[in-house]
Amino acid sequence: MSRKDSTIQGILALKCPYCGEGEFFVSHPYDLRRIGDVHDYCPKCKGRLNPEPGFYLGVLMVSNVIGIALGMAVWAAFILLAPEADALWIVVTVMAALLLAWPWIYAVSKVIWAHLFLNFDNPTGLKRREEEH
């Protein structure tokens, strides 16, 4: 299996971007009391998952892209499979799909953001802490 395949599998399985084995989130995405809570450090490799306050603000852009893609896919499915469907039903179905998928979209967006912007040369952040003192 190539690194690209394991990265995609790690993102979809919501795993640590460093080792691909540790849990990224404290709880399941549909646990609405803990939604979006990320471990500070990976339980397996001890890589730093929460580097600074506000690090995950860019997730909003990623989740918008995924949400738009899902909405367009549901709309396209309606157009192809039920071309005579009322526009109201299409809108209601798209909204329901987005509402039901929102926690998972948010979680996947956070993992994608971590894969894009975490420092893979220094996963624990120890060197940075030593330099600050």
Side-chain angles (χ1 to χ4, degrees):
M1 176 174 14
S2 70
R3 170 76 177 136
K4 183 179 174 184
D5 292 339
S6 63
T7 299
I8 292 171
Q9 288 176 347
I11 289 171
L12 295 177
L14 307 176
K15 297 294 182 182
C16 168
Y18 300 114
C19 66
E21 296 176 12
E23 294 296 326
F24 189 79
F25 291 100
V26 173
S27 184
H28 193 272
Y30 286 90
D31 178 5
L32 299 181
R33 288 177 284 134
R34 305 291 309 253
I35 192 165
D37 289 353
V38 175
H39 288 287
D40 287 332
Y41 293 90
C42 173
K44 294 278 186 183
C45 70
K46 305 302 181 217
R48 192 170 186 183
L49 299 175
N50 229 347
E52 60 190 36
F55 175 75
Y56 290 105
L57 286 176
V59 168
L60 299 172
M61 293 180 289
V62 178
S63 64
N64 281 340
V65 169
I66 295 172
I68 289 169
L70 175 64
M72 295 292 288
V74 172
W75 174 79
F78 254 100
I79 297 302
L80 292 173
L81 301 175
E84 294 113 22
D86 186 33
L88 178 63
W89 282 109
I90 296 173
V91 170
V92 168
T93 304
V94 168
M95 296 301 290
L98 289 172
L99 185 63
L100 292 173
W102 178 77
W104 185 81
I105 290 171
Y106 180 63
V108 167
S109 299
K110 258 191 167 176
V111 177
I112 289 171
W113 192 260
H115 274 271
L116 291 173
F117 294 108
L118 285 179
N119 184 359
F120 288 90
D121 294 331
N122 188 15
T124 60
L126 292 177
K127 184 177 178 187
R128 185 174 183 195
R129 279 195 221 135
E130 290 170 2
E131 291 172 357
E132 290 174 357
H133 291 293

